[in-house]
Amino acid sequence: MSSYLQLSGINKTYGNFTALENVDLEVEKGEFVTFLGPSGSGKTTTLMLIAGFATPTRGTIDIEGASLAGLDPQDRNIGIVFQNYALFPHKTAAENVYFPLQMRDVKRLEGMRRADEMLDLVGLAGFSHRYPKELSGGQQQRVALARALVFEPDLLLLDEPLGALDKNLREQMQIEIKRIQKKLGVTTIFVTHDQTEAMSMSDRICVFSNGKIEQLGKPLDIYHRPKTKFVADFIGESNLIPARITDAANCKAQSNVLGDVTYGTQSGTELRDGQEVSLVIRPEHLKLSSKRLADRMSAGIEIETIVNYGDNALVIGTSESQQIRVRVPGADVVILNEGDKCFISWTQDDVFVVTD
Amino acid sequence: MNTFVRWLGYLFVIFIAAPLLVVVPMSFSTSSSLEFPPPGLSLQYYEKFFSDPAWLRPAWNSILIASATTILTMILVIPATFALVRHRFWGKGIANLMMMMPLAVPHIVMAVGYYSYFGELRLVHTHLGVILAHTCLSVPITFLVLSANLKGFDRTLEQAARSLGASPRRVFLHITLPILRPGLMISALFAFIQSFDETVVAIFISGRGAETLPRKMFDSIRQEADPVIAVVSTLLFVAVILGLLAPQIVKAVQSALGRSARNASE
């Protein structure tokens, strides 16, 4: 298999601290891959290793089969957008974008023309002569993007670039970055701890936890078929309910909270009878009703809190002192009261099993 | 604001500025000695200062010594600051302390030290001797200003420049140095002023050969109370004020030019 970017057996330790352990990853040309994880999970460390600002303790990184080992950051031809944009304050927007071309000995006239073209592409025509401090956060972001792309890098790395923007601008920039990335076809790695960002932008998501890759897959696969408790908990909202496998061959488990449960088939891990596992049910897959429904599995809960969001509501109930979260459409919530006793119900496909 | 506090403020300003209010009028005096208030106004002592080699030579010495001190100080302090701010190494604490030492030791103690040690090296009464001594005295303040600037420098700018294809040398020349330029200018200015104003060490070791302006003033006031001293004081004061205001003036001129350039391009 000839992947474009290949990380094999990457380890990185700082003294006694293991920042990365056996990271393997293959990225195709033109792909948009997101590194998702909480801070300290190793996603930024991996990015820094690819960029060349740190050296892996073990393992290799290749682009198109050629090793990056021993190449200084300036010789890797990788564009980076930093979290704080890192625009040069003493240079105008156009001069910032011209800088990588200047370093490649492109003449000023030609370089500034290309810088202006790139600023056009990111939607900043007419801002060439502004200094970074005269630009808004979103505009600075676009300059940083233009600067990282103007020299036609082999790889684009984005390190939490949207973290500093407010919500509306962030959504706008998500769409914008996707548009530009598609147009140029540049292979992109995007680092974030924001799961909605990861879901909406990526071709594939790589979930990091404690220096390891927990799961790698398409956004919806990861959402619907998390392999571990960590992924189920980190991506989207989940009810994680402790249970014990009673009959692995027939997908049966038993839980104090939900009673006897038949779970959907699920990928990967071998389960054996008697194994302690967690059952995952997304809050939007649970239904609330006043009576048990014949065609669905169900369990009784007592409603504790109702949080209204307008278009939908989050109902938090308890059963056997376990919190259960249920998403209901906004229109349905008016008949519910805190303290009501009712039933949650689900089907086999809504339940999947994860191990620790 | 509370009236009392305001008057306290005025009083404080007068207290600080009082010596100037006395010295500046005396420089325009007609009196043959230092006298306040001056009996009449004239420019005769300015004329005397600018025509008397006994005053012009020390003035030239001071400019020469201060310039050389500034250059030498910067050559020493820039690498030292990068090392002390950005790197961890054995003995860093001691090195830091040594840099700041001249600030803590009284100048008179330093002066006695230089006098006896430079005597053996035959550096007393030479320009080089004064330059070396003044450089030591300028190091702490220069280091303080520069290290504050360097600590505030965002190193991701350097990483960004590396990733965009710049070698470490080009990063330094194109990014680090230009961004630190204001801090470098200010610290160089402090080194210059420190040397230009320094009196105690100059009295001990500058001698006849490398006599500086403050030393000449000191000799002159002991011997004759020549009103030219008031002229020199006024000129020194004006020079220092101009030096301190230079960055603001430069900035104002630059932004005025930048604005007109932008207006022209639009």
Side-chain angles (χ1 to χ4, degrees), chain B residues 69-224:
Chain B
T69 298
T70 306
I71 294 169
L72 188 57
T73 306
M74 297 312 281
I75 289 174
L76 292 171
V77 168
I78 293 175
T81 310
F82 273 86
L84 283 165
V85 171
R86 292 195 167 177
H87 298 278
R88 299 173 71 175
F89 52 88
W90 187 85
K92 180 174 170 175
I94 306 267
N96 229 322
L97 199 69
M98 294 300 284
M99 295 280 284
M100 301 310 294
M101 202 66 128
L103 211 60
V105 179
H107 281 196
I108 188 83
V109 175
M110 303 274 289
V112 172
Y114 288 127
Y115 189 70
S116 42
Y117 186 58
F118 280 7
E120 278 179 32
L121 296 174
R122 298 179 178 281
L123 283 173
V124 172
H125 298 190
T126 64
H127 286 83
L128 183 60
V130 183
I131 291 165
L132 289 177
H134 278 181
T135 300
C136 291
L137 296 175
S138 297
V139 160
I141 182 74
T142 317
F143 170 66
L144 275 181
V145 173
L146 208 53
S147 62
N149 268 274
L150 194 57
K151 276 175 194 158
F153 183 89
D154 177 8
R155 292 202 72 183
T156 54
L157 293 175
E158 290 174 344
Q159 285 194 331
R162 287 292 294 280
S163 77
L164 295 169
S167 62
R169 196 181 62 86
R170 294 178 103 179
V171 172
F172 187 76
L173 291 178
H174 286 275
I175 306 300
T176 316
L177 209 54
I179 294 175
L180 285 179
R181 188 173 291 141
L184 287 166
M185 303 282 263
I186 301 253
S187 56
L189 187 70
F190 274 123
F192 190 90
I193 292 174
Q194 156 76 29
S195 165
F196 207 74
D197 283 356
E198 203 287 327
T199 315
V200 179
V201 171
I203 286 172
F204 271 70
I205 66 170
S206 73
R208 285 257 160 244
E211 190 182 32
T212 65
L213 213 43
R215 184 198 158 108
K216 167 69 181 165
M217 290 166 73
F218 182 75
D219 287 347
S220 168
I221 203 161
R222 267 196 326 178
Q223 288 155 11
E224 52 206 332

Side-chain angles (χ1 to χ4, degrees), chain A residues 48 53 72-75 77-80 82 84-91 96 99-100 102-105 129 131 134 147-148 151, chain B residues 153-171 173-181 258 262 265-266:
Chain A
M48 289 294 123
F53 294 123
D72 284 326
Q74 68 267 26
D75 301 323
N77 207 39
I78 292 175
I80 308 179
F82 289 84
N84 64 355
Y85 318 135
L87 296 180
F88 307 132
H90 62 299
K91 293 177 177 290
N96 264 281
F99 183 78
Q102 189 184 0
M103 293 299 112
R104 286 163 176 76
D105 298 319
H129 297 291
Y131 282 91
E134 300 167 327
R147 189 179 66 175
F151 57 100
Chain B
F153 183 89
D154 177 8
R155 292 202 72 183
T156 54
L157 293 175
E158 290 174 344
Q159 285 194 331
R162 287 292 294 280
S163 77
L164 295 169
S167 62
R169 196 181 62 86
R170 294 178 103 179
V171 172
L173 291 178
H174 286 275
I175 306 300
T176 316
L177 209 54
I179 294 175
L180 285 179
R181 188 173 291 141
R262 190 158 329 130
S265 75
E266 271 165 14

